[in-house]
Amino acid sequence: MRTLDEDGAVDPWRRRAWRPRRQMPLWQELPLLLIVAFCLAVLIRTFLFQAFFIPSGSMEDTLLIGDRVLVNKVVYDVRDPQRGEVVVFRGTDRWVAQQAQEPEPGIAGRFARTIGDLVGLSRPGEKDFIKRVIGLPGDRVKCCDAQGRVTVNDIPLDEPYVIRNSPLDLPPNPSECRSRRFAEVVVPPGQIFVMGDHRLVSQDARCQGPVPIDNVVGRAFVVVWPSSRWASLSVPDTFAGVTSPVTAAGDPPAPARPSGSGGVLLLLPVSASVSVLARSGRSGWSRRRRLHP
C-alpha cells in the first residue's frame, strides 16, 4: 500500500525508507569479513584467551614439548590464582629462560611472527613460563616430610601428576633446582610459589624465587593441540586439604581484593562481537525482504 501526502502524491521519504538495500559484491564483502575476523581474533587474544606453545619439558608428563594450551587471561582480573592451577607468567630477572635463543628471522619471518603474536599462535617469549601454583601469599612451603612429600602449611601433598621427581639424596643447591629438598619458604604478600611437574629439570621457585601475582598472564585450562592429547587442566584433589596460613595473631591473612577491570576488559570484545552479529542480522533481514516482498 502506497503512502500519500496531503496533496495525494506519493511521499518520497517513505519510498526511500522502504527501498531494499543493495547487496555488497562478494569481492568487497570478503575482505571486510576477513578484517573483522582478524580484529576479533586480536581482541580475544588481548583480553580473553590466548594459545601458548610448550617449549620445554618442565611440566612433563602433564604437558609435553610441542603441546599447545589455551590460557584464560581474564579470570585473574576478578580473583587471585589458587593452589594447584597451572598458570602462565612472566618471569622476574632471577628467572633464567628455559629455551634456546633462536636466530633472527628475515623480513618474512618477522612479519609472520608479528601476525602470529597478534592472534596468539606464536612461540612464547624468553621470559614466559608455565608452572603449577603450589603456595599462595603467606603459605609456608617446604620439602620434605618423612615420605619425601612437599608440604604447604604443614599439610603434605600427594602429587600424582609428578611422574619424574627429584632424587632425595641430592643435596640442595641454591643455583640449581635438581634437588627435591629445600628449606621452608614463606611466600611474600602479592606473590605465589610455583613449581614444574617434572621436578628433576624444572627451574622454578625452589631456586629462582616466588613470582608476583601481577606477572601472571592467565590460567592454562585445556590442552588444545595435538588433538590426541586434548585434556582439561583441572586442580588436583590433593590441594583441597590445604588450610590457609595462620598469622602471628592467630587469624588467616585477609584475601587480596580482586581487580575491577575484568568486566571492562570482557565487554570490549563482546561488544565488538555483538556489533558484527547485529550488522550481519540487518544484512540478512534486508536479503529476506528482497526475497519475500
Side-chain angles (χ1 to χ4, degrees), residues 81-244:
Q82 302 297 316
R83 302 181 193 93
E85 294 179 338
V86 178
V87 297
V88 172
F89 59 92
R90 296 181 299 276
T92 63
D93 293 338
R94 293 183 58 183
W95 284 70
V96 180
Q98 299 188 75
Q99 57 181 348
Q101 181 70 21
E102 296 182 354
E104 186 66 24
I107 296 178
R110 288 197 295 268
F111 177 77
R113 178 176 295 181
T114 301
I115 297 299
D117 182 65
L118 286 174
V119 297
L121 296 177
S122 63
R123 288 175 175 263
E126 292 181 28
K127 286 293 185 177
D128 289 336
F129 298 85
I130 183 166
K131 306 290 180 184
R132 189 181 299 274
V133 179
I134 303 297
L136 302 178
D139 282 348
R140 294 176 288 107
V141 185
K142 66 179 180 180
C143 190
C144 306
D145 68 351
Q147 300 181 31
R149 297 174 295 184
V150 174
T151 65
V152 180
N153 302 327
D154 297 325
I155 305 297
L157 300 179
D158 293 312
E159 302 179 284
Y161 46 83
V162 178
I163 306 300
R164 299 176 177 87
N165 212 336
S166 303
L168 275 169
D169 57 355
L170 195 64
N173 186 341
S175 62
E176 192 178 32
C177 294
R178 291 176 57 83
S179 174
R180 188 188 304 194
R181 299 184 181 277
F182 59 92
E184 182 176 276
V185 176
V186 178
V187 184
Q191 301 191 36
I192 53 177
F193 192 93
V194 295
M195 297 174 68
D197 290 355
H198 190 347
R199 301 286 162 79
L200 187 60
V201 302
S202 176
Q203 301 297 305
D204 49 43
R206 289 174 290 170
C207 58
Q208 302 191 104
V211 176
I213 295 178
D214 290 341
N215 283 24
V216 177
V217 176
R219 178 189 176 186
F221 65 97
V222 65
V223 181
V224 294
W225 188 260
S227 57
S228 59
R229 284 190 39 79
W230 187 94
S232 61
L233 299 173
S234 58
V235 175
D237 294 336
T238 186
F239 291 93
V242 179
T243 57
S244 300

Side-chain angles (χ1 to χ4, degrees), residues 16-48:
R16 277 197 292 270
W18 286 97
R19 183 179 301 169
R21 298 175 63 180
R22 180 177 300 176
Q23 184 178 0
M24 183 180 296
L26 180 62
W27 64 271
Q28 292 181 350
E29 187 173 6
L30 184 59
L32 179 62
L33 292 176
L34 291 176
I35 292 174
V36 171
F38 178 79
C39 291
L40 286 176
V42 172
L43 286 171
I44 291 173
R45 181 261 186 217
T46 303
F47 299 111
L48 294 181

